[in-house]
């Protein structure tokens, strides 16, 4: 797109927003500071480098689009390629199974910071900060229950794994001079009617207490609930109620995965309630289509609502934004770019909201005025600000990245 045209459109947009009391330059500065934690697992359908086993734990990546990353080198190259089409500086969210195991099998209860040494170096070289996840799925000892398994030896195995993951996250945080956010999600649940529901939850609570016994300064723990997994439809040990209770009592971060709630539940509405009781939140921004399908994030109403809430709660510094989807049916680098840019666009639109005026209307009981302004806001020229933001960041404007990704596909991924 012509630079001149982008600037012209931006100037007009800036004037329109200024009339609403919004400084678009300031908004672009704010957006520049929003780092999205890009999930490493979109590049290879949640496979990782531990073993070639299949994906378990009630999650599924559907599709068989050619060109998925087959090793660490390809995964890193694909992530950097995707990042080059995304404005701003972002983080990388690693799962434990993506460790640099040097071709050897390193079991989950043996993993150490050394297995992430090359990642820490790579991240520093590329100006990316790291986040981390323990991995309870895709392992011979996963079964239906990990941290809540009545078999003490299996439980202890996963406790050891998760403790080690926290030590790795601490090392990452120390090295990057910024806390590493470590997410804990376990698939534990059961397919059919479960009568000892209390028992497994009590075990999970006890396991978490053991895992969190060590205090760290450079990492933050977050805990993620969900409604159900495939093959685990009747009971999820780590339900929403369970983790909210645990998180409030132990002051842990709560992870909200947008695919982990009942379809008509508003995830946006949870932000203000939770932030009154827990220190911070982590988001797994996803797109559930009829279930927790992990489709690519887009600029849809639930995502716009969610980002609006972060801004309306003045909580930009208390909400960490990560992505969580794994679509194996389309170009995977394209999937990263679409999803990350969509999250940024939602954030931009939230930052461009005439919040002071809306709050005023609301306080005055001016319901018509509030609704009218909300409606008008939808048609404001936010896209001109977005294009300018991309231009300033030296990344493709508009749909220009489509051709670039096609080229990378022709030259690189299609040859895999
Ligand atoms: C699963 C959870 C979890 C995983 C990743 C791979 O339903 O959303 O966050 O998607 O850990
Ligand atoms: Zn998630």
């Amino acid at each position: 797109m012509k630079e001149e045209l982008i600037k012209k459109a931006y100037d007009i947009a800036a004037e329109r927003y200024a009339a609403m009391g919004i400084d678009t330059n300031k908004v672009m500065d704010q957006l520049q500071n929003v780092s999205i934690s890009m999930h490493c697992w979109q590049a290879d359908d949640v496979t990782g480098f531990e073993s070639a086993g299949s994906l378990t734990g009630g999650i599924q990546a559907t599709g068989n689009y050619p060109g998925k990353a087959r090793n660490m080198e390809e995964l890193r190259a694909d992530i950097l390629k995707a990042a080059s089409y995304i404005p701003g500086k972002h983080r990388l969210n690693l799962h434990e199974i993506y460790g640099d195991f040097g071709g050897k099998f390193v079991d989950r209860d043996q993993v150490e910071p050394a297995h992430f040494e090359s990642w820490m170096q790579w991240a520093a070289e590329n100006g990316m900060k790291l986040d981390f996840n323990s991995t309870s799925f895709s392992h011979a000892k996963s079964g239906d229950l990990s941290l809540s398994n009545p078999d003490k030896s299996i439980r202890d195995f996963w406790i050891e794994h998760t403790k080690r993951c926290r030590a790795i996250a601490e090392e990452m945080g120390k090295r990057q001079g910024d806390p590493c956010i470590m997410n804990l999600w376990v698939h534990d649940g059961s397919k059919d009617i479960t009568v000892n529901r209390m028992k497994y939850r009590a075990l999970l609570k006890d396991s978490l207490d053991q895992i969190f016994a060590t205090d760290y300064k450079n990492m933050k723990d977050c805990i993620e609930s969900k409604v159900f997994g495939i093959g685990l439809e009747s009971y999820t040990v780590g339900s929403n109620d369970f983790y909210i209770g645990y998180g409030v009592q132990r002051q842990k971060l709560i992870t909200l995965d947008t695919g982990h709630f009942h379809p008509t539940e508003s995830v946006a509405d949870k932000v203000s309630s939770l932030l009154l009781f827990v220190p911070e939140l982590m988001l797994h921004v996803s797109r559930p289509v009829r279930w927790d399908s992990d489709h690519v994030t887009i600029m849809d109403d639930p995502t716009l609502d969610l980002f609006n809430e972060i801004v309306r709660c003045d909580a930009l510094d208390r909400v960490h934004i990560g992505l969580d989807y794994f679509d194996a049916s389309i170009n995977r680098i394209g999937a990263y770019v679409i999803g990350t840019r969509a999250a940024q666009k939602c954030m931009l639109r939230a930052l461009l909201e005439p919040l002071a005026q809306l709050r005023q209307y609301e306080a005055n009981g001016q319901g018509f005025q509030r609704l009218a302004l909300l409606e008008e806001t939808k048609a404001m020229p936010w896209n001109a600000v977005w294009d300018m933001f991309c231009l300033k960041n030296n990344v493709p404007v508009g749909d220009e990245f489509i051709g670039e990704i096609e080229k990378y596909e022709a030259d690189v991924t299609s040859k895999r």
Side-chain angles (χ1 to χ4, degrees):
M1 214 187 285
K2 288 243 172 56
E3 244 185 80
E4 232 175 282
L5 197 64
I6 295 164
K7 286 182 178 151
K8 236 169 139 177
Y10 173 76
D11 287 342
I12 296 170
E15 228 179 292
R16 298 246 351 244
Y17 279 110
M20 275 187 163
I22 295 156
D23 179 345
T24 48
N25 265 317
K26 208 181 116 206
V27 166
M28 284 197 289
D29 288 346
Q30 283 179 296
L31 190 60
Q32 200 73 51
N33 288 327
V34 175
S35 282
I36 312 271
S37 193
M38 289 169 64
H39 54 314
C40 73
W41 50 95
Q42 165 60 47
D44 72 341
D45 315 336
V46 211
T47 307
F49 310 123
E50 180 195 82
S51 69
S54 55
L55 180 59
T56 70
I59 52 176
Q60 224 168 59
T62 54
N64 55 359
Y65 197 83
K68 87 174 203 182
R70 296 164 300 181
N71 52 51
M72 198 163 312
E73 219 187 339
E74 291 178 355
L75 188 108
R76 287 177 180 168
D78 289 359
I79 288 167
L80 287 182
K81 197 28 111 183
S84 74
Y85 303 133
I86 297 164
K89 278 219 168 309
H90 300 288
R91 303 171 71 94
L92 183 67
N93 200 3
L94 287 174
H95 244 286
E96 184 273 347
I97 47 172
Y98 289 79
D100 191 347
F101 303 121
K104 280 185 256 136
F105 175 72
V106 176
D107 212 346
R108 308 263 173 107
D109 63 343
Q110 297 298 316
V111 67
E112 290 175 2
H115 299 119
F116 289 86
E117 180 61 37
S118 75
W119 273 115
M120 290 186 262
Q121 278 176 25
W122 178 87
E125 279 160 22
N126 291 288
M128 272 186 165
K129 287 175 178 151
L130 297 172
D131 292 318
F132 200 52
N133 300 258
S134 52
T135 314
S136 69
F137 51 83
S138 306
H139 185 277
K141 291 195 171 76
S142 291
D144 289 350
L145 300 168
S146 61
L147 288 176
S148 66
N149 202 304
D151 179 336
K152 187 171 183 301
S153 69
I154 295 193
R155 212 163 64 238
D156 285 347
F157 175 86
W158 292 111
I159 291 172
E160 181 64 24
H161 166 71
T162 320
K163 282 183 173 174
R164 283 169 175 260
C165 285
R166 291 184 78 231
I168 294 166
E170 170 68 11
E171 184 61 25
M172 288 176 172
K174 198 164 35 174
R175 295 269 285 270
Q176 65 199 17
D178 189 58
C180 170
I181 312 297
M182 186 185 131
N183 189 53
L184 190 157
W185 168 72
V186 294
H187 57 279
D188 296 35
S190 62
K191 181 183 171 88
D192 219 330
I193 299 167
T194 305
V195 294
N196 285 321
R197 298 171 94 94
M198 177 69 107
K199 173 177 166 179
Y200 309 108
R201 290 193 170 127
L203 287 170
L204 178 57
K205 180 169 178 257
D206 179 69
S207 294
L208 293 177
D209 286 347
Q210 293 185 50
I211 289 164
F212 296 139
T214 308
D215 279 329
Y216 288 119
K217 284 200 187 73
N218 300 291
M219 61 86 66
K220 293 179 181 177
D221 297 295
C222 48
I223 47 184
E224 180 184 10
S225 71
K226 80 186 267 183
V227 178
F228 75 94
I230 303 170
L232 304 164
E233 290 86 355
S234 297
Y235 170 67
T236 302
V237 185
S239 62
N240 185 39
D241 315 68
F242 177 91
Y243 281 124
I244 288 184
Y246 194 90
V248 170
Q249 195 175 57
R250 308 286 203 270
Q251 288 301 290
K252 294 292 178 192
L253 280 69
I254 296 287
T255 300
L256 294 174
D257 183 309
T258 58
H260 288 194
F261 296 90
H262 295 283
T264 59
E265 215 172 329
S266 163
V267 180
D269 184 51
K270 299 176 187 304
V271 173
S272 51
S273 297
L274 288 170
L275 283 178
L276 290 172
F277 300 101
V278 297
E280 292 170 25
L281 299 177
M282 172 72 184
L283 301 180
H284 274 188
V285 188
S286 191
R287 177 166 49 110
V289 177
R290 303 187 186 282
W291 68 291
D292 183 28
S293 61
D294 290 294
H295 279 65
V296 179
T297 297
I298 57 171
M299 192 182 61
D300 54 8
D301 286 348
T303 316
L304 283 165
D305 287 347
L306 178 59
F307 284 73
N308 272 330
E309 267 314 303
I310 301 172
V311 176
R312 291 174 187 171
C313 292
D314 296 318
L316 276 165
D317 55 345
R318 292 178 65 199
V319 181
H320 305 271
I321 305 168
L323 303 171
D324 184 11
Y325 52 79
F326 22 103
D327 190 334
S329 75
I330 60 173
N331 181 298
R332 293 171 183 79
I333 291 137
Y336 271 127
V337 179
I338 294 169
T340 315
R341 285 173 66 121
Q344 289 180 289
K345 286 187 218 168
C346 290
M347 181 52 85
L348 172 65
R349 289 186 61 176
L351 292 167
L352 287 170
E353 192 175 65
L355 193 53
Q357 178 71 74
L358 287 163
R359 282 178 176 156
Q360 194 61 56
Y361 283 147
E362 185 165 294
N364 296 344
Q366 294 174 282
F368 145 69
Q369 289 85 339
R370 181 186 57 191
L371 190 58
L373 187 55
L374 282 168
E375 280 302 284
E376 287 309 306
T377 301
K378 292 178 182 168
M380 285 292 285
W382 61 269
N383 67 313
V385 184
W386 170 249
D387 286 348
M388 181 52 109
F389 185 70
C390 290
L391 185 71
K392 271 180 57 170
N393 277 277
N394 216 6
V395 301
V397 176
D399 63 4
E400 281 168 7
F401 68 85
I402 298 176
E404 303 269 333
I405 289 171
E406 281 173 349
K407 193 166 171 294
Y408 186 68
E409 175 168 293
D411 296 347
V412 181
T413 55
S414 68
K415 298 194 174 131
R416 287 177 184 164

